[in-house]
Amino acid sequence: MELETLCLHAGYTPKNGEPRVVPICQSTTFTYSSTKEVAQLFDLESAGYFYSRIGNPTVDAVEQKIAALEGGVGAMCTSSGQAASLISILTLAKAGDHVLSTSSIYGGTFNLFAVTLKRFGIEVTFVDQKASDAEIKAQIRENTKAVFGETIANPSMDVLDIERIANIAHESGLPLIVDNTFATPVLCRPFEFGADIVVHSTTKYLDGHALQIGGVIVDSGKFDWANNPRFTEFTEPDESYHGLVYTKAFGKAAYIVKARVQLMRDLGCCQGPQGAFYINLGLETLALRMPRYCENAMQVARFLASQDKVSEVRYPGLEGSPNFALAQKYLKNGASGVISFEVKGGREAGAKFIDSLKLTSLQVHVADIRTCVLHPASSTHRQLTDEQLVECGITPGLIRLSVGLENVSDIIADLQTALNAL
Ligand SMILES: *Cc1c(COP(=O)(O)O)cnc(C)c1O
């Protein structure tokens, strides 16, 4: 089935007399008639719902839908995008291990990697994704467990050369994890270019309506954990499941099952059924919404690029963009709805511009159905030092504009009014 159809039908097929819409199974638990059945569930010998931290029918429907959209073998929803990134790493790395990440990543992920994972004993080093193959390879160590990047980096809008980075990772026997939040599977399916794991903040385009915080991890099922000395946790018995071996018991789904039955079991950052229901509503129109975000953003980017008071516009769809060639390869259906730009006059002019907007709202969010704007240096990225800001591709006056689904002439008129105020 094509993406439009999957958005509507994947993950839930009602049988005779069952609800047409994915039902909200608002229950923490599920009952069984014998202790033997429950024991088998706990030993992972049979599949079934028993406690909503580990699995819930509503959440499961969303997981299956997102797995189908990305072309993966399985997915797991999490309570937030941050939780998805965290678990995507913790399924692979433990204290003493190392992860290599591109430096153009979301500020929250940067903090998670640079500060919190370090406190867990996992060291993350950051590399410029435009560095040469040899320079990137030189950063890989014996204890490296994953390479991490973002399809379209938030908010620098740098496009990841997924195929190149995947090849570098694979040559060293490492999986590539890609945060596909800004592209969504409608614009890019990283697995088709060699990525092994995809994470999303579903909070953004997948929900799309600014209703529900959430995240998801998707497993391509393609990485060979079994024959790899770096990943002995997949091939050696897990004491917490009476000696179960993930690659033997779950084959291609070993990673995503391990993420669920080990990390979600122990960390508990799960999505709830009500939240999953909202995410599903957003997913149903994802294939319809994404092209319009892209069309509107393209027109807004062209408008901004034509303005004297704007010194720089970063949108991978613009022909002059340094990311244009990569966008042609990875984002054939459009370059998403987010534009980063800089007004002349730095931090002060940026603030005045934002304060002069009427239709466009100032909010800590992107990928809303409504146009919204943010100043990263004073909000999402304010914990970063100036040096780290530059590493993430952010300047003090940078404005991140998330173009919504309003009529584009109304969006442009609002931006024009604010520019006139400068
Ligand atoms: C927002 C965002 C996250 C974090 O997601 P939350 O749902 O806010 O926890 C991760 N990656 C990217 C690219 C994001 O935009």
Side-chain angles (χ1 to χ4, degrees):
M1 286 190 280
E2 299 295 328
L3 286 183
E4 292 81 354
T5 317
L6 292 172
C7 280
L8 292 164
H9 294 282
Y12 176 67
T13 312
K15 297 187 201 76
N16 237 356
E18 288 185 350
R20 173 58 278 192
V21 176
V22 175
I24 304 172
C25 297
Q26 191 68 48
S27 181
T28 58
T29 191
F30 305 84
T31 62
Y32 289 90
S33 52
S34 73
T35 50
K36 188 171 166 232
E37 284 168 287
V38 175
Q40 282 172 340
L41 289 167
F42 269 89
D43 283 348
L44 306 179
E45 279 166 10
S46 61
Y49 305 109
F50 52 96
Y51 193 61
S52 286
R53 172 162 22 93
I54 312 283
N56 171 283
T58 314
V59 182
D60 187 38
V62 172
E63 291 169 342
Q64 286 188 40
K65 180 174 284 188
I66 296 173
L69 289 170
E70 287 287 6
V73 294
M76 180 176 77
C77 284
T78 57
S79 54
S80 67
Q82 287 299 103
S85 299
L86 173 67
I87 291 188
S88 77
I89 299 290
L90 292 186
T91 303
L92 302 173
K94 58 182 185 309
D97 285 339
H98 170 255
V99 170
L100 181 61
S101 173
T102 63
S103 43
S104 294
I105 51 169
Y106 171 66
T109 314
F110 195 93
N111 270 327
L112 169 67
F113 286 1
V115 180
T116 300
L117 283 186
K118 194 188 214 170
R119 294 173 64 211
F120 284 18
I122 298 168
E123 192 186 348
V124 183
T125 49
F126 298 92
V127 65
D128 182 349
Q129 63 196 45
K130 295 193 188 76
S132 70
D133 289 11
E135 284 170 306
I136 298 174
K137 255 181 231 165
Q139 301 286 323
I140 294 174
R141 308 175 186 174
E142 224 160 88
N143 61 344
T144 305
K145 292 297 164 79
V147 180
F148 188 99
E150 281 177 25
T151 313
I152 308 174
N154 174 6
S156 71
M157 300 306 286
D158 286 331
V159 178
L160 187 70
D161 193 344
I162 299 171
E163 201 163 50
R164 180 170 84 94
I165 307 295
N167 284 338
I168 295 172
H170 294 164
E171 274 170 31
S172 299
L174 291 170
L176 173 64
I177 306 174
V178 171
D179 182 334
N180 198 33
T181 298
F182 271 24
T184 81
V186 175
L187 304 181
C188 178
R189 306 211 306 165
F191 296 156
E192 290 172 2
F193 299 101
D196 303 285
I197 314 288
V198 157
V199 295
H200 282 275
S201 165
T202 61
T203 315
K204 313 296 164 53
Y205 287 117
L206 301 192
D207 163 345
H209 298 71
L211 292 179
Q212 178 63 46
I213 300 278
V216 70
I217 306 174
V218 193
D219 183 356
S220 70
K222 288 186 192 148
F223 195 85
D224 186 7
W225 312 102
N227 301 301
N228 192 320
R230 289 184 199 258
F231 298 105
T232 51
E233 277 191 12
F234 285 79
T235 52
E236 285 171 3
D238 180 347
E239 293 155 38
S240 70
Y241 282 108
H242 307 308
L244 176 124
V245 174
Y246 289 99
T247 47
K248 278 207 188 119
F250 304 107
K252 283 188 184 315
Y255 172 88
I256 200 69
V257 173
K258 184 174 186 282
R260 183 186 301 278
V261 303
Q262 225 182 33
L263 280 305
M264 186 58 85
R265 177 196 63 185
D266 294 352
L267 300 180
C269 37
C270 57
Q271 183 56 270
Q274 189 84 37
F277 180 82
Y278 291 135
I279 295 163
N280 186 54
L281 275 186
L283 284 169
E284 291 184 331
T285 58
L286 182 70
L288 200 59
R289 286 184 287 113
M290 289 315 294
R292 181 61 72 86
Y293 285 120
C294 297
E295 281 164 35
N296 279 1
M298 193 66 215
Q299 289 197 49
V300 169
R302 288 206 175 107
F303 162 77
L304 289 170
S306 74
Q307 297 300 302
D308 288 341
K309 288 173 180 167
V310 175
S311 56
E312 196 198 348
V313 181
R314 295 193 208 168
Y315 185 66
L318 275 182
E319 273 176 28
S321 162
N323 288 291
F324 186 70
L326 286 171
Q328 293 298 296
K329 174 169 177 178
Y330 293 106
L331 303 165
K332 284 203 178 76
N333 299 329
S336 195
V338 184
I339 301 169
S340 288
F341 67 100
E342 179 123 17
V343 287
K344 288 178 186 161
R347 200 179 282 260
E348 238 171 83
K352 175 135 200 234
F353 173 84
I354 287 180
D355 291 339
S356 308
L357 291 163
K358 296 265 179 324
L359 175 70
T360 304
S361 49
L362 170 60
Q363 60 194 46
V364 180
H365 199 47
V366 276
D368 191 353
I369 202 161
R370 293 149 286 247
T371 298
C372 59
V373 75
L374 185 78
H375 182 215
S378 67
S379 54
T380 48
H381 289 66
R382 68 177 292 122
Q383 314 303 344
L384 306 193
T385 64
D386 281 359
E387 213 173 46
Q388 287 174 325
L389 270 187
V390 173
E391 261 188 64
C392 287
I394 296 160
T395 47
L398 193 81
I399 291 167
R400 189 184 67 186
L401 178 69
S402 173
V403 179
L405 300 184
E406 298 91 346
N407 187 295
V408 71
S409 62
D410 291 325
I411 301 170
I412 290 175
D414 192 39
L415 298 171
Q416 181 75 72
T417 309
L419 284 172
N420 291 347
L422 298 182

